Amino acid sequence: MWTIFWYTILLACVATLFLRIAGRKSISQMSVPQLVILLTIGAVIGSEVSGKGMPKTILTLGTFIAFLVVTEWITLRWDRAETILKGKSVPVIQEGKLVVPNLRKLRISVDDLEKRLRMAGISRIEDVKTGTIESNGELGYELTSDAKPVTRGDLEDLFQMYFPLCL
């Protein structure tokens, strides 16, 4: 009975250590290899519970994490590997107009894209100069110059131009 308890504690500690080595990202930010490894780790931990043996389970977990670290290292060094393993961003808005063929490829409806825009605080597609779906599934965008918010630097420039003695 106590053996199972201590094996469980050991497995939880080893799994936590390995996942810390793997890095921290939310599921929506994970690349395909990272998500596959995470799901596999869950299955491996489950197999330990069903009696496959602690040493084999730890070795398997370590092998998967090593694979993930090597994959991440390779994608940092070679753009082609990054494209193959993680993918690239896909433009869905250009100059305020939808790129419908890319939306279809990504299987994203216009309503879903509009929802993402609203969540980013953008109410009109026309206000977006370029919009992309990034490799992690997030929406990336650049606003048109008319839609960009005023920055402190913009205000200082205006004050300097119109009220040069005040600053």
Side-chain angles (χ1 to χ4, degrees):
M1 171 93 169
W2 286 105
T3 307
I4 293 172
F5 173 77
W6 290 115
Y7 270 5
T8 305
I9 296 297
L10 175 63
L11 187 59
C13 291
V14 169
T16 301
L17 173 69
F18 284 159
L19 289 174
R20 288 287 293 133
I21 292 169
R24 54 177 104 159
K25 292 183 179 178
S26 69
I27 289 181
S28 67
Q29 295 173 325
M30 288 184 178
S31 63
V32 172
Q34 289 171 327
L35 188 58
V36 168
I37 298 291
L38 182 68
L39 293 173
T40 305
I41 287 171
V44 169
I45 291 171
S47 73
E48 168 52 34
V49 173
S50 67
K52 298 293 182 194
M54 184 62 72
K56 288 181 181 178
T57 300
I58 291 174
L59 177 63
T60 303
L61 288 175
T63 303
F64 275 113
I65 295 301
F67 175 81
L68 180 60
V69 170
V70 168
T71 302
E72 293 291 317
W73 182 82
I74 289 171
T75 59
L76 287 173
R77 302 290 185 273
W78 294 290
D79 286 339
R80 184 88 172 120
E82 181 181 20
T83 302
I84 292 168
L85 294 172
K86 292 184 176 182
K88 291 284 185 183
S89 59
V90 177
V92 291
I93 301 173
Q94 290 180 334
E95 301 301 327
K97 301 201 186 321
L98 293 175
V99 183
V100 177
N102 288 350
L103 284 172
R104 285 188 185 129
K105 273 189 227 174
L106 295 169
R107 295 184 305 276
I108 296 175
S109 70
V110 175
D111 288 340
D112 286 341
L113 181 62
E114 288 174 339
K115 177 179 70 175
R116 290 181 187 206
L117 288 169
R118 284 191 302 275
M119 291 174 70
I122 302 167
S123 57
R124 295 172 2 117
I125 291 173
E126 296 79 19
D127 290 341
V128 179
K129 182 177 179 182
T130 58
T132 58
I133 301 298
E134 303 298 333
S135 59
N136 63 5
E138 297 284 323
L139 173 69
Y141 62 89
E142 178 186 359
L143 297 173
T144 61
S145 58
D146 293 344
K148 288 181 182 175
V150 176
T151 65
R152 180 180 176 146
D154 295 337
L155 287 175
E156 287 176 359
D157 290 344
L158 281 172
F159 274 114
Q160 186 68 25
M161 189 166 44
Y162 290 108
F163 307 105
L165 300 176
C166 293
L167 294 177

